[in-house]
Amino acid sequence: MRVVIVGNGPGGIELAKNLSREFDVTIVERENLPHYSRPMLSHYIAGFLPEEKLFPYSLDWYEKNGINLLLGAEAKLIDRLRKVLVTDKGEVPYDALVIAAGARAREPSIPGREHILTLRTLEDAKLIKERLEDEGEVTILGGGFIALELAGNLAKAGYTVRVVHRGEALLGLDRELSERIREELEGAGVEFHLKSQAISADEDGLNTETGYIPGKLKVCAFGIVPNRELAVKSGIHAGRGILVDDHLRTSARDVYAIGDCAELGGIIGGTAKTAVEQAKVLARILAGEEASYVPFRSAFFKFADFSVAVIGQIRGRGEWLDEKARVFYDGERAIGAVVLGDLRKALRLEKIIREGLP
Ligand code: FAD
C-alpha cells in the first residue's frame, strides 16, 4: 500500500515512522528542510540550543528507514478520482493520503501589522533571533503557550521582555492559576500588560488600549490558522480545520487528516502531543487494526524553568490537591488537572484522569 503524507511536522513524521516498515511511505513537504522541532524554536532564539539540535533526524535517517522524502514540494490538489496528489514538483499516486499540513501563525489584524513578526517556522525564528540580538528587547502579543514559552526563555536569556495580552487569564486558565503562572514568569523577569488590547503598531512601538509600549521588535504569538486550503480546493469538507471523524477520516474516501490541520468535534488539537497521538492511532487504523481516536486534552509546557501541564477538562469545580496540582471534578470523578512545576506528578495525574474516563 502506498501511503502519501502531506507535511513533515510531528504528525507526519510519527505516522511515517510507524508505517514505513510495512508500507511504501512518501512525505511531501513544502519546506526544504528535514523535520525540525517547533517546540524548541524559542530555546533556539534564546541561544540555549544550537540550530543543528533542532533537527532530530538526518536525511540519511529517512533513507535508512525507507521513507521517501519529497522536499520543497507543495501539495496543490488531491485528484480523488485518479487517487493522485498533485504537487508543484509532479504527481504522486496514493492508496491512502494523509493531510498533516499543520497550521500557520495567526496574523494580527491591526494597522501597522507589517511591523509585527510571527513565529511558526525556523525561518521566522531566525529573523526574530537576528532582530533580538540587535534590539535586546521584545514585545510579545498573546497569553497562550507559545507566547509564554517565548517570553520565559527570552527573559531567562537576559533580554527585556514585555507580554501584551488583551485578556486577564493566561492560557485560558482561572484567575488563581493564571496568577501563579504570571508570578513565576515575573520572577524570571517578564513584564506583563494584561487587559491590554493592541490597537496599532508602528516601527518604534505598539499602541494599546492602556498606553503606548515602546520597542521596535514585536512578535505576535496568539493562535493558529489550520492549513485547510488543500482539502477545500479538493472538495473535502472543512470548518475551521479539515473535518475528521474518530477514525481520522475526512469526507473523501482514503483521505485522512491529523494534527493542527484537523478538526474533530469542533476542536483543533494545536499541540505536538496531539498530532503525535493522532498519528499513532491512524497508523494502527491503516495497518488494519480496530482503533479510534478519543480526544483528550493534555499538554505539557516549559516557561523558562517552570513547567505547566494542562490535562483533560479544566472547567467547573477545581480543588488544590497540594500547592502544585489543582484537580477539576465532575461530581466525584476527576476530569482534569493543572500541575505547576512538577512533571512527574503531571504524568501520574494524566494517567489517572485518562483511565477514569467513561
Ligand atoms: P506542523 O508541525 O505545522 O507541520 C506541518 C508541515 O506541513 C509543515 O512543515 C508545512 O510546511 C507542511 N505543509 C503545509 N502545507 C503543505 C502543502 N500544501 N504541501 C506540502 N507541505 C505542506 N506543542 C507542544 O505540544 N508543546 C510545546 O511546547 C509547543 N511549543 C511550541 C512552540 C512554538 C514556537 C510553536 C510554533 C509551536 C509549538 N507547539 C508546541 C505546537 C506544535 O509545534 C504544533 O502543534 C505541531 O507542530 C503540529 O504538528 P503538525 O504535524 O500537525 O503540523
Side-chain angles (χ1 to χ4, degrees):
M1 179 161 91
R2 291 162 306 182
V3 180
V4 175
I5 303 167
V6 178
N8 190 26
I13 192 123
E14 182 65 31
L15 185 67
K17 274 199 295 188
N18 279 270
L19 291 179
S20 65
R21 265 198 216 126
E22 263 181 276
F23 300 128
D24 175 354
V25 175
T26 300
I27 297 180
V28 174
E29 168 57 53
R30 69 176 164 209
E31 282 199 70
N32 231 326
L33 297 167
H35 173 80
Y36 61 87
S37 167
R38 289 180 210 287
M40 297 312 277
L41 286 177
S42 61
H43 301 252
Y44 159 73
I45 298 171
F48 300 147
L49 197 77
E51 185 180 334
E52 62 271 19
K53 291 270 189 234
L54 292 170
F55 295 89
Y57 311 106
S58 65
L59 289 174
D60 278 355
W61 176 89
Y62 285 88
E63 213 181 304
K64 272 191 202 127
N65 285 276
I67 301 167
N68 310 309
L69 182 61
L70 271 184
L71 287 180
E74 174 142 13
K76 294 287 191 191
L77 190 77
I78 303 162
D79 184 335
R80 294 157 52 187
L81 276 180
R82 289 167 54 226
K83 293 189 96 172
V84 170
L85 176 71
V86 181
T87 82
D88 58 0
K89 293 264 172 79
E91 295 188 343
V92 190
Y94 67 83
D95 297 305
L97 181 86
V98 181
I99 311 175
R104 52 191 179 273
R106 177 132 63 95
E107 304 270 346
S109 54
I110 55 174
R113 59 179 161 269
E114 66 277 16
H115 300 292
I116 305 178
L117 303 180
T118 53
L119 174 59
R120 181 77 192 180
T121 64
L122 178 57
E123 200 183 331
D124 299 335
K126 283 187 172 172
L127 181 58
I128 294 170
K129 187 170 167 64
E130 197 183 299
R131 294 273 312 273
L132 186 69
E133 282 162 2
D134 286 343
E135 307 291 341
E137 58 175 5
V138 61
T139 304
I140 299 167
L141 286 81
F145 68 86
I146 296 180
L148 299 185
E149 258 178 18
L150 184 63
N153 276 320
L154 299 189
K156 186 179 161 192
Y159 293 106
T160 299
V161 180
R162 306 172 202 93
V163 169
V164 177
H165 178 41
R166 66 177 181 180
E168 198 171 5
L170 300 174
L171 296 176
L173 298 175
D174 64 33
R175 179 190 285 256
E176 213 180 340
L177 282 163
S178 168
E179 274 179 15
R180 284 280 299 275
I181 294 169
R182 179 172 57 75
E183 279 161 18
E184 285 288 339
L185 281 165
E186 279 175 346
V190 178
E191 180 186 308
F192 280 93
H193 298 256
L194 298 180
K195 292 209 278 186
S196 189
Q197 174 106 23
I199 299 168
S200 64
D202 59 33
E203 202 183 331
D204 297 318
L206 189 71
N207 214 351
T208 77
E209 275 170 343
T210 53
Y212 188 76
I213 301 174
K216 285 188 190 302
L217 176 57
K218 297 166 280 293
V219 179
C220 174
F222 54 62
I224 56 169
V225 180
N227 290 327
R228 46 167 231 156
E229 292 72 11
L230 173 66
V232 172
K233 263 195 274 168
S234 310
I236 294 170
H237 297 168
R240 221 187 116 213
I242 304 167
L243 298 177
V244 293
D245 65 11
D246 62 357
H247 285 71
L248 302 158
R249 290 180 292 217
T250 69
S251 61
R253 199 189 161 117
D254 297 322
V255 180
Y256 303 81
I258 55 171
D260 280 9
C261 66
E263 177 179 335
L264 174 58
I267 294 169
I268 309 278
T271 65
K273 201 164 183 286
T274 303
V276 167
E277 282 169 8
Q278 291 182 344
K280 285 184 173 152
V281 171
L282 183 56
R284 292 176 53 202
I285 292 171
L286 292 177
E289 280 180 50
E290 193 44 59
S292 61
Y293 178 73
V294 181
F296 181 75
R297 183 184 182 206
S298 168
F300 293 14
F301 309 111
K302 203 140 196 219
F303 308 141
D305 293 321
F306 184 59
S307 70
V308 176
V310 182
I311 300 160
Q313 293 179 48
I314 47 161
R315 302 265 171 261
R317 182 166 64 87
E319 281 174 21
W320 288 97
L321 199 64
D322 53 36
E323 83 274 5
K324 289 187 172 167
R326 191 163 159 92
V327 178
F328 293 81
Y329 294 90
D330 178 12
E332 290 306 303
R333 190 162 53 89
I335 54 167
V338 175
V339 185
L340 307 175
D342 192 337
L343 271 177
R344 277 192 173 179
K345 181 169 286 175
L347 285 166
R348 272 204 310 276
L349 276 169
E350 185 192 33
K351 193 160 180 278
I352 292 167
I353 293 166
R354 217 187 255 265
E355 285 171 0
L357 286 179

